[in-house]
Amino acid sequence: MTDQTHNPDAPARRDQLTGEGAIRGTARMEAFADAVFAIAFTLPIVEIVMPSIDRDGAALGPDLVALTPHYAGYLLASAVIGLYWVQHHFSGAIFRTTGHWFVIATVLFLTAIGFIAFPARVLAEHFPDVAARPAAARYWVVSLAVVALAWLLKWSVGVARGHIDARLEDDYVRRLMRRFRLVAAGNVAAAMLVFINWQAGLALSALLMAWLLLPPETPRYTTRAPVIEGES
Amino acid sequence: MTDQTHNPDAPARRDQLTGEGAIRGTARMEAFADAVFAIAFTLPIVEIVMPSIDRDGAALGPDLVALTPHYAGYLLASAVIGLYWVQHHFSGAIFRTTGHWFVIATVLFLTAIGFIAFPARVLAEHFPDVAARPAAARYWVVSLAVVALAWLLKWSVGVARGHIDARLEDDYVRRLMRRFRLVAAGNVAAAMLVFINWQAGLALSALLMAWLLLPPETPRYTTRAPVIEGES
Amino acid sequence: MTDQTHNPDAPARRDQLTGEGAIRGTARMEAFADAVFAIAFTLPIVEIVMPSIDRDGAALGPDLVALTPHYAGYLLASAVIGLYWVQHHFSGAIFRTTGHWFVIATVLFLTAIGFIAFPARVLAEHFPDVAARPAAARYWVVSLAVVALAWLLKWSVGVARGHIDARLEDDYVRRLMRRFRLVAAGNVAAAMLVFINWQAGLALSALLMAWLLLPPETPRYTTRAPVIEGES
Amino acid sequence: MTDQTHNPDAPARRDQLTGEGAIRGTARMEAFADAVFAIAFTLPIVEIVMPSIDRDGAALGPDLVALTPHYAGYLLASAVIGLYWVQHHFSGAIFRTTGHWFVIATVLFLTAIGFIAFPARVLAEHFPDVAARPAAARYWVVSLAVVALAWLLKWSVGVARGHIDARLEDDYVRRLMRRFRLVAAGNVAAAMLVFINWQAGLALSALLMAWLLLPPETPRYTTRAPVIEGES
């Protein structure tokens, strides 16, 4: 399909992967994704409403403390978006090129990322109300499952379309794929469980998130490992 | 006019294209555009208003379902902005340099992109009201036509000012131009049709959007294709 | 002070310009500035309030037309921020390095850029009210003068601290400085004039903006012009 | 652990630092951080509410002047975020690589940066009310201490995990570490002091901020200083 399947160390060229538009490096796709991540990460702050300046000034302290569920929503959104950004930053070292369908899949994934702060706020801000917890938990866990599936889709399209760095060991790539399939399957299971027992679904979902916090396996190459980008 | 018209493989230099300010590579123009795309793509989430925490907690589930038109607005805005970002990402492999008028034309295009989430929300959120559909459809289709015309303007200025990669086959560039002229003409036709029959105008506009989803033709070069950027 | 004053073609090194922190290339300063520009450029869209879905659907058309002052505010903000971004994009080809005080001056300039959409909205949205015009015009023209002064400050600090590309002809740099001094002086004059005669102040300010639309002079180098960045 | 501990001038490779995911250059981590900084820096503008167009037009002037506490909040947020961005820009020249835990620590730091505009607004907008000052000052100073601690954490993780440019003199890195430890310790002291005497805590916090305005020491290398990145 491409030169690089013959000699994995040879640099890719712009006219490879016919039918994929123009093959490009990953830099600009990463830049767009980084910007979407950064905005999704930072925007929730505008949703925290400052205590009114028309209230008694002495009430400011308690008013700021009463915003705790809002702070929790901000932190929860930061945590999940930050964690996926870390995965995305890692994957930028695994993929070497991009083509039309890979960027389309990335846009779908980013649509899910741009949305996730909303369920995070729903969960955190409605959690103090016991009657709202089941619905809030379901909304959050289902939304996380959509993100995990979109992530798996993006990853799978990238692999299927030949955008993985061909210098990586096949077994290494297979292990990564398995990890993300497990995360997606676990999230789908949590999204079903949360309708039966919301506490259990929420707990499983949180466990999977904690798993993503662990570093992925360090890349293994069939050739000498490439020099990291941006070296000077 | 420039060295590169003589030897298309020679790298461009900063003092070429007199009267265009400082000729530069496309990296920073793409970075600015990527950021505008990313913000326009992500901002609509702040427009989804969370169900009040003062309501009965048991109503949270139905309240979240009732937000469906808002979700649709978010998805529609993501789809159209994402699709144009994909076109822009592709065009970054076709243009090689930028000058004053090309960046001005890019700013005009980005002004239209930054606006398009608003008509998307108008369409999606007002669509459930039958009486509002014609006006919402007209607003949306006319706005899309403005985006398509601005895109054609940006593309045309880039070509006319000599910023296309001179290593590309002339016929290839001509085919691309024809594609974008057809998209623009079709969108203008849809913007006229929508005032006669709003359903037909909306359908034509949607068809043109679906056409943009297809990958553009892979670049063809007169010389050996350039190595993709960011290779390591 | 630095190697580059001896041999302007030699690349700069990280430990030059003692007392300036770590000397770096302009890439990351440009990236931060591009992002601030992009956000300031795109954010005003959230200020356009969609006609309520609780109103009679048949009123949607007129309601959307009645938003015209809001559209004008969005366009005015895009125009001024876009125009300064074009200047900034150009200046990225003139400066070659950054140091502590230059990035501080850039932050000050960006503080002004991040603010300018607000006076643009004040002018556009209050302009239909005749009684509000003088105050709106003063607010806008004074704000533009602050931006022009901040731009001149950034430029002057960059020049004074030795961050200009040493390969450029001295006379060329002097002509650029004169241009930006004239723009700043003209804007300060407009900011004084607007308190005497608001129409005249507003007109002078608009003329200066139109002047920025003209391309700056193409760089002239004492040595062979550098290859543009990002070439592949 | 890595080649670079043996020969600090050798470029790093992607499979070094086992257990850190994929080692990468700092470019993309800086890009994400720059974007978060830029958004946090620019977002506060949306919190300034424009005087209503339904009011008497002649009142626009005084209404705009009455927004002064809001302008102060915008300026204060810009100042603190801008200042930390300057530190971060500097640190991009000190660190050479990134790994899993370093990007996690960066996400934690950015969570604090994304939040800091809120306490800035609380302080500026509630300060005119004498009764609200102690609570506003405490909230602000404690928040700044969290930012300073998160910055120290990020820095410490980067150093501990071997991401510092190995070409730097050990003594130089030690002096930097001492500077940031002092800033963090001072901020923690201010956060305790502000509960005893809010004026003193606020003053100490402001002094520490002013200290950050001074340029950090210019890097010293054991080998010839590296050429700055992005040179052309």
Side-chain angles (χ1 to χ4, degrees):
Chain A
M1 195 167 175
T2 69
D3 282 351
Q4 78 193 38
T5 59
H6 300 301
N7 174 7
D9 287 321
R13 291 182 175 274
R14 280 248 181 90
D15 57 354
Q16 290 176 321
L17 294 182
T18 316
E20 297 272 342
I23 193 176
R24 299 189 68 182
T26 54
R28 292 252 58 86
M29 187 175 82
E30 281 200 80
F32 178 66
D34 282 352
V36 171
F37 273 108
I39 301 152
F41 184 90
T42 319
L43 265 185
I45 196 66
V46 301
E47 309 286 3
I48 304 183
V49 178
M50 202 174 69
S52 168
I53 56 170
D54 297 331
R55 292 196 12 122
D56 175 16
L60 179 61
D63 282 358
L64 290 169
V65 171
L67 289 174
T68 302
H70 295 260
Y71 305 149
Y74 175 79
L75 288 175
L76 187 59
S78 292
V80 65
I81 297 168
L83 212 45
Y84 267 101
W85 174 72
V86 173
Q87 309 301 317
H88 198 265
H89 180 263
F90 164 75
S91 78
I94 304 303
F95 292 104
R96 197 178 182 193
T97 57
T98 60
H100 187 76
W101 300 111
F102 193 27
V103 296
I104 298 266
T106 296
V107 166
L108 287 175
F109 167 66
L110 293 173
T111 302
I113 283 293
F115 185 76
I116 200 68
F118 185 71
R121 289 177 53 225
V122 168
L123 181 65
E125 297 180 27
H126 283 274
F127 208 78
D129 179 352
V130 175
R133 281 181 197 175
R138 279 164 199 152
Y139 194 63
W140 166 246
V141 175
V142 169
S143 299
L144 279 184
V146 170
V147 172
L149 285 170
W151 172 250
L152 182 63
L153 177 72
K154 169 181 158 61
W155 192 272
S156 304
V157 169
V159 171
R161 292 282 164 177
H163 296 300
I164 285 276
D165 191 333
R167 297 166 292 192
L168 286 163
E169 281 183 10
D170 286 351
D171 267 7
Y172 173 75
V173 176
R174 248 189 299 272
R175 284 195 297 272
L176 283 182
M177 277 298 288
R178 199 163 50 218
R179 187 188 203 219
F180 294 127
R181 275 203 202 101
L182 274 171
V183 170
N187 271 284
V188 169
M192 293 187 296
L193 186 56
V194 81
F195 284 93
I196 298 164
N197 180 325
W198 68 264
Q199 291 97 332
L202 193 59
L204 175 55
S205 173
L207 264 174
L208 289 161
M209 198 62 72
W211 190 31
L212 278 183
L213 195 61
L214 299 178
E217 190 191 352
T218 303
R220 290 162 182 274
Y221 295 90
T222 54
T223 65
R224 185 160 160 75
V227 168
I228 63 170
E229 74 278 13
E231 267 299 301
S232 65
Chain B
M1 194 169 177
T2 69
D3 282 352
Q4 78 193 38
T5 60
H6 300 301
N7 174 8
D9 287 322
R13 290 182 176 275
R14 279 247 183 91
D15 57 354
Q16 291 176 320
L17 294 182
T18 315
E20 297 273 341
I23 192 175
R24 299 189 69 184
T26 54
R28 292 251 59 87
M29 186 174 84
E30 281 200 79
F32 177 67
D34 282 353
V36 171
F37 273 108
I39 300 152
F41 184 90
T42 319
L43 266 186
I45 196 66
V46 300
E47 308 286 4
I48 305 185
V49 178
M50 202 175 68
S52 168
I53 55 170
D54 298 330
R55 290 192 18 118
D56 175 16
L60 179 60
D63 281 358
L64 290 169
V65 171
L67 289 174
T68 302
H70 295 259
Y71 304 149
Y74 175 79
L75 288 174
L76 187 59
S78 292
V80 65
I81 296 168
L83 213 44
Y84 267 102
W85 174 72
V86 173
Q87 309 301 315
H88 198 266
H89 181 263
F90 164 76
S91 78
I94 305 304
F95 292 104
R96 198 177 182 195
T97 57
T98 59
H100 188 77
W101 299 111
F102 193 27
V103 295
I104 297 267
T106 296
V107 167
L108 287 175
F109 168 66
L110 293 173
T111 302
I113 283 294
F115 185 75
I116 200 68
F118 185 71
R121 288 177 54 222
V122 168
L123 182 65
E125 296 180 25
H126 284 274
F127 208 78
D129 179 351
V130 176
R133 283 182 194 173
R138 279 165 199 151
Y139 194 63
W140 167 247
V141 175
V142 169
S143 300
L144 279 183
V146 170
V147 173
L149 285 170
W151 173 252
L152 183 63
L153 176 73
K154 168 181 158 60
W155 193 271
S156 304
V157 168
V159 171
R161 292 283 165 175
H163 296 299
I164 285 275
D165 191 334
R167 296 165 294 193
L168 286 163
E169 281 185 9
D170 287 350
D171 268 7
Y172 173 75
V173 176
R174 249 189 298 271
R175 284 195 297 275
L176 282 183
M177 278 298 288
R178 197 162 52 215
R179 188 189 201 216
F180 294 127
R181 275 203 202 101
L182 274 171
V183 169
N187 271 286
V188 169
M192 292 188 296
L193 187 56
V194 82
F195 284 93
I196 299 164
N197 180 325
W198 70 263
Q199 291 98 334
L202 193 59
L204 175 54
S205 172
L207 265 174
L208 289 160
M209 198 61 72
W211 190 32
L212 278 183
L213 195 60
L214 298 178
E217 191 191 352
T218 303
R220 290 162 182 275
Y221 294 89
T222 54
T223 65
R224 184 158 162 75
V227 169
I228 62 170
E229 74 277 15
E231 266 298 302
S232 65
Chain C
M1 195 170 180
T2 70
D3 282 353
Q4 78 193 36
T5 59
H6 300 300
N7 174 8
D9 287 322
R13 293 183 175 273
R14 280 247 181 92
D15 56 354
Q16 291 175 321
L17 294 181
T18 315
E20 297 273 341
I23 191 175
R24 298 189 70 182
T26 54
R28 292 252 58 87
M29 187 174 82
E30 282 200 79
F32 177 67
D34 282 353
V36 172
F37 272 109
I39 300 153
F41 184 89
T42 319
L43 265 186
I45 197 66
V46 301
E47 307 286 5
I48 305 185
V49 178
M50 202 174 68
S52 168
I53 56 170
D54 297 330
R55 286 186 30 111
D56 175 17
L60 179 61
D63 281 358
L64 290 169
V65 171
L67 289 174
T68 302
H70 295 260
Y71 303 150
Y74 175 79
L75 288 174
L76 187 59
S78 292
V80 65
I81 296 169
L83 212 45
Y84 267 101
W85 174 73
V86 173
Q87 309 301 316
H88 198 264
H89 180 263
F90 164 76
S91 78
I94 305 304
F95 291 104
R96 199 177 182 194
T97 56
T98 60
H100 188 77
W101 299 112
F102 193 26
V103 296
I104 297 267
T106 296
V107 167
L108 287 175
F109 167 66
L110 293 173
T111 301
I113 283 293
F115 185 76
I116 200 68
F118 185 71
R121 288 176 54 223
V122 168
L123 181 64
E125 296 180 25
H126 283 274
F127 207 77
D129 179 352
V130 176
R133 282 181 194 172
R138 278 164 201 154
Y139 194 64
W140 167 247
V141 174
V142 168
S143 299
L144 279 184
V146 171
V147 173
L149 286 170
W151 173 252
L152 183 63
L153 176 72
K154 168 180 157 64
W155 193 272
S156 304
V157 169
V159 171
R161 292 283 165 174
H163 296 300
I164 284 275
D165 191 335
R167 296 166 293 192
L168 287 163
E169 282 183 9
D170 287 350
D171 268 6
Y172 174 74
V173 176
R174 249 189 297 271
R175 284 195 298 274
L176 283 183
M177 278 298 289
R178 197 162 51 215
R179 188 188 202 219
F180 294 127
R181 275 203 203 101
L182 274 171
V183 169
N187 271 286
V188 169
M192 292 187 296
L193 186 56
V194 80
F195 283 94
I196 299 163
N197 179 325
W198 68 265
Q199 290 97 334
L202 194 58
L204 175 55
S205 172
L207 264 175
L208 289 161
M209 198 61 72
W211 190 32
L212 278 184
L213 195 59
L214 298 179
E217 191 190 353
T218 303
R220 290 162 182 275
Y221 295 89
T222 53
T223 66
R224 185 159 162 74
V227 169
I228 62 171
E229 75 278 13
E231 268 297 303
S232 63
Chain D
M1 194 166 175
T2 69
D3 282 352
Q4 78 194 35
T5 59
H6 300 299
N7 175 7
D9 287 322
R13 294 183 175 274
R14 280 248 182 89
D15 57 354
Q16 291 175 319
L17 294 182
T18 314
E20 297 274 341
I23 192 175
R24 299 189 68 182
T26 54
R28 293 250 59 86
M29 187 176 82
E30 281 200 80
F32 178 66
D34 283 352
V36 171
F37 273 108
I39 300 152
F41 184 89
T42 319
L43 266 185
I45 196 67
V46 302
E47 308 286 5
I48 305 184
V49 178
M50 201 174 70
S52 168
I53 56 170
D54 297 330
R55 294 198 9 125
D56 175 17
L60 179 61
D63 281 357
L64 290 169
V65 171
L67 289 173
T68 301
H70 295 261
Y71 304 149
Y74 175 78
L75 288 175
L76 187 59
S78 292
V80 65
I81 296 168
L83 211 46
Y84 266 101
W85 174 73
V86 173
Q87 309 302 316
H88 198 265
H89 180 264
F90 164 76
S91 77
I94 304 304
F95 291 104
R96 198 178 183 193
T97 57
T98 60
H100 188 75
W101 299 111
F102 193 27
V103 295
I104 298 266
T106 296
V107 167
L108 287 176
F109 168 66
L110 293 173
T111 302
I113 283 293
F115 185 75
I116 200 68
F118 184 71
R121 288 177 55 224
V122 168
L123 181 64
E125 297 180 25
H126 283 274
F127 208 77
D129 179 351
V130 175
R133 281 181 195 173
R138 280 164 199 154
Y139 195 62
W140 167 247
V141 174
V142 168
S143 299
L144 279 183
V146 170
V147 173
L149 285 171
W151 172 252
L152 182 64
L153 176 72
K154 169 181 157 63
W155 192 272
S156 304
V157 169
V159 171
R161 292 283 164 174
H163 296 300
I164 284 276
D165 191 334
R167 297 166 292 194
L168 287 163
E169 281 183 10
D170 287 350
D171 268 6
Y172 173 75
V173 176
R174 249 189 298 270
R175 283 195 297 273
L176 283 183
M177 277 298 289
R178 199 164 48 218
R179 186 186 204 220
F180 293 128
R181 275 203 203 102
L182 273 170
V183 169
N187 271 285
V188 169
M192 293 188 295
L193 186 56
V194 80
F195 283 93
I196 298 164
N197 179 325
W198 69 263
Q199 290 98 331
L202 194 58
L204 174 55
S205 173
L207 264 175
L208 289 161
M209 199 62 72
W211 189 32
L212 278 183
L213 194 61
L214 298 178
E217 191 191 352
T218 303
R220 289 161 183 276
Y221 295 90
T222 54
T223 66
R224 185 158 161 77
V227 168
I228 62 171
E229 74 279 15
E231 266 297 302
S232 65

